Amino acid sequence: MGKLDLITIIIIAANVIASYKGFGDYAFFEKYKFNVGAVRRGEQIRMLSSGFLHADNGHLFFNMFSLYFFADVVINLIGAFYFIIVYLGSLLLGSLLSLYFHKEEYHYSAVGASGAVMGVIYSAILLQPGMSLYMFFIPIPIPAYIFGIGYLLYSIYGMKNRIGNIGHDAHFGGAVGGYIITLIVSPWLFKTNLLMVGLLALPIVLLFVLKKTGKM
């Protein structure tokens, strides 16, 4: 983890350029951020463009730092082309899930690459579940699959209780995008990592059940 492939550099540069344009140009930011009312009026480009805007430097840094650590795992195992598919597909699915959960909240807005980055992280975990992650506040390594499952469970909790100014639904949708796209382009995982495929699906199934039973 933590190597810079050319495509990763291009994606980080695109995020930095668009975000800094947005920092200094309010009209640009407002035109391309995710907004339910605008999307429902036909401005679907916002579902993609919002993923390259950020609220502030800290938001931008955290997302790009996370991408830097996980991108090479995905690129090395499925190639740069499918990495781009994972990134953009996760970004769009994150926006779609946000639209689904907030479709009646015309004022709801969001920005950030978090959905796309979570898709890359979940893809990396699925492709290499044996890797360990180190968190700033936990001094011991955490198995990647434990982190992935735990994060999505927290996202469900955050969505249900609307915790903080965080797009939990976009994070969750992005992770689902990374999961589905990775399995489509890497069907061999059903043979080599079937147990992990099942374990990582549990939070996704839980969200579906909660929504169907009216508890979300």
Side-chain angles (χ1 to χ4, degrees), residues 59-72:
H59 188 205
L60 173 63
F61 174 78
F62 182 79
N63 276 334
M64 295 304 99
F65 188 68
S66 300
L67 179 64
Y68 162 73
F69 269 104
F70 290 94
D72 69 292

Side-chain angles (χ1 to χ4, degrees), residues 5-214:
D5 188 89
L6 176 60
I7 190 59
T8 309
I9 294 173
I10 292 172
I11 289 175
I12 291 175
N15 274 274
V16 170
I17 292 169
S19 293
Y20 270 86
K21 171 67 173 174
F23 294 161
D25 187 338
Y26 179 77
F28 178 85
F29 185 87
E30 288 295 309
K31 182 177 181 180
Y32 291 109
K33 71 179 183 180
F34 176 86
N35 174 265
V36 171
V39 171
R40 293 193 64 173
R41 288 194 301 269
E43 298 178 35
Q44 280 83 15
I45 186 63
R46 291 172 180 261
M47 299 182 72
L48 181 65
S49 62
S50 60
F52 292 89
L53 297 172
H54 289 81
D56 51 44
N57 281 312
H59 188 205
L60 173 63
F61 174 78
F62 182 79
N63 276 334
M64 295 304 99
F65 188 68
S66 300
L67 179 64
Y68 162 73
F69 269 104
F70 290 94
D72 69 292
V73 175
V74 180
I75 292 170
N76 288 340
L77 291 172
I78 64 174
F81 175 77
Y82 287 125
F83 167 77
I84 296 171
I85 299 299
V86 167
Y87 187 90
L88 294 178
S90 299
L91 170 57
L92 288 173
L93 197 55
S95 292
L96 281 169
L97 196 65
S98 290
L99 183 62
Y100 176 69
F101 274 97
H102 300 281
K103 58 182 177 290
E104 301 304 327
E105 302 171 47
Y106 283 73
H107 65 282
Y108 182 85
S109 298
V111 294
S114 301
V117 173
M118 272 308 303
V120 171
I121 292 174
Y122 222 67
S123 177
I125 292 171
L126 189 58
L127 290 164
Q128 202 171 90
M131 66 181 176
S132 295
L133 308 178
Y134 290 85
M135 310 299 291
F136 292 119
F137 48 87
I138 301 177
I140 58 174
I142 302 172
Y145 70 92
I146 296 294
F147 170 82
I149 293 171
Y151 190 91
L152 287 199
L153 291 176
Y154 172 72
S155 293
I156 292 174
Y157 178 75
M159 291 161 65
K160 184 175 175 61
N161 296 281
R162 301 201 171 213
I163 296 175
N165 188 27
I166 301 171
H168 297 287
D169 33 34
H171 293 182
F172 196 99
V176 173
Y179 178 83
I180 293 173
I181 296 168
T182 301
L183 288 177
I184 290 173
V185 303
S186 306
W188 48 267
L189 290 169
F190 287 104
K191 293 183 178 180
T192 61
N193 291 322
L194 182 58
L195 176 60
M196 202 56 60
V197 169
L199 286 174
L200 291 172
L202 291 177
I204 301 171
V205 174
L206 176 61
L207 179 65
F208 176 77
V209 171
L210 290 174
K211 186 63 177 176
K212 291 293 288 184
T213 56

